[in-house]
Amino acid sequence: MESVETRTLSPGDLAEIVGVSESSIRRWVDAGRIDVMRTAGGHRRIPLRSALRYVRENDLQILRPDLLGMPGLTARAAHEELTADALFDLLQAGDAAAVRGAVAGAFLHGMPLSELYDGPVAGALQRLGELWRHGEEGIFVEHVATSICIEAVNEIRLLLPPPVDGAPVALGGAVAADPYILPSLMAASLFGEAGFRVVNLGPDTPSVAFLKAVDAHAPDVVWLAATGHFGAALVNTLVCDLVEPLEERDVDVVVGGRTALAHRSLWPSCVTLLDSMGALAEYARGYGSRG
């Protein structure tokens, strides 16, 4: 089965998906409004990511989501506003396909990724994090739900347009002793949405590995996710072992996460401390406009 990255549609496929004539799709393609590739025989093929970007930017109706090859995406999910309560119910039920469809539907319906992450995703996960208080089964429910959210965010990343040649590079991950995957994964998708080339190092990344990655990839921006349960002593260590060497390498450093914010006074002035995914998205969008 083709992936989101490699799948293509014919103009007829896309016409059926959004409920317009095939001739309209061909006109949009010929006008350069939709990216297209040609087969050896000269037939138009539309990359799925290009088609979905056009659908999102123009708020088109998705009438045949089944033709997109995205399990769980329904016509209702593609146009119904996603709430934290609705996402919580799907996650608690462990319905991975429905969660991926609901998240992809919210994105295609035009919800900014930062709003999706700060709103429905954060709200649902916060409720799930309280389930352990009501019984031991709450722990495994939360773990399964987190895994499903990781799948959903990864699928969203595949829907984003690829970066252009020469785009700035953003590299980051969760710092040492921080086991959480999702915050850094969401940060990676926000940088990707803003047009960066992205290198995500994932969870629990030792400072020495961070620095070696920076030397290998020469990023313009480094993000640090600090969400795990650790105290001021480790933050001070991170500043000495990671932030100060990054400052010497002349890269922007952005830091977020509940632990980072709880110890905000310990971070040096060279660090941009961000308190939400919305703030990160604003930073990433504004980076390219610097003089």
Side-chain angles (χ1 to χ4, degrees):
M1 184 176 180
E2 290 180 297
S3 69
V4 171
E5 291 180 288
T6 60
R7 183 181 166 101
T8 62
L9 304 170
S10 70
D13 291 334
L14 184 54
E16 194 169 351
I17 288 167
V18 299
V20 302
S21 67
E22 185 173 343
S23 61
S24 293
I25 298 294
R26 292 181 184 277
R27 283 198 304 272
W28 297 343
V29 167
D30 293 341
R33 296 166 65 183
I34 305 176
D35 295 334
V36 70
M37 58 180 62
R38 298 273 183 171
T39 67
H43 299 291
R44 300 175 181 89
R45 299 297 299 180
I46 302 169
L48 179 59
R49 291 204 296 192
S50 174
L52 293 176
R53 182 167 67 253
Y54 190 79
V55 166
R56 183 172 190 254
E57 291 174 351
N58 292 275
D59 197 23
L60 298 177
Q61 296 286 315
I62 297 178
L63 304 180
R64 290 290 308 277
D66 54 299
L67 296 180
L68 292 172
M70 299 173 65
L73 180 62
T74 64
R76 179 179 177 182
H79 298 283
E80 185 177 74
E81 183 177 355
L82 181 62
T83 66
D85 287 343
L87 186 58
F88 170 81
D89 290 340
L90 294 175
L91 287 168
Q92 188 177 31
D95 192 339
V99 169
R100 293 198 305 271
V103 171
F107 175 72
L108 294 175
H109 190 50
M111 180 179 284
L113 282 184
S114 58
E115 185 178 320
L116 175 62
Y117 296 156
D118 282 336
V121 174
L125 290 177
Q126 184 175 6
R127 285 186 61 188
L128 286 160
E130 297 294 318
L131 289 180
W132 65 271
R133 300 177 186 275
H134 306 290
E136 293 181 354
E137 69 277 5
I139 297 174
F140 83 75
V141 171
E142 181 190 10
H143 285 197
V144 171
T146 300
S147 179
I148 292 172
C149 278
I150 290 169
E151 294 175 12
V153 174
N154 272 322
E155 189 165 84
I156 289 293
R157 288 190 66 190
L158 296 178
L159 303 182
L160 299 174
V164 300
D165 293 340
V169 177
L171 177 148
V175 298
D178 186 339
Y180 294 102
I181 297 172
L182 198 51
S184 192
L185 191 63
M186 292 191 291
S189 67
L190 290 175
F191 276 112
E193 184 183 36
F196 283 74
R197 291 174 286 161
V198 177
V199 181
N200 181 18
L201 302 179
D204 193 14
T205 307
S207 295
V208 65
F210 251 112
L211 296 176
K212 287 184 178 296
V214 167
D215 291 339
H217 293 278
D220 301 277
V221 178
V222 170
W223 81 82
L224 308 177
T227 308
H229 300 286
F230 49 82
L234 187 51
V235 172
N236 281 321
T237 299
L238 287 170
V239 171
C240 293
D241 293 348
L242 182 54
V243 175
E244 291 176 358
L246 287 174
E247 186 178 14
E248 294 173 0
R249 286 163 169 78
D250 195 28
V251 296
D252 278 18
V253 181
V254 295
V255 178
R258 60 173 174 251
T259 303
L261 296 171
H263 301 286
R264 61 174 66 239
S265 64
L266 301 179
W267 299 98
S269 59
C270 64
V271 165
T272 299
L273 197 61
L274 302 174
D275 60 4
S276 67
M277 290 294 170
L280 177 58
E282 184 176 356
Y283 167 88
R285 287 193 302 268
Y287 185 89
S289 64
R290 296 181 180 182

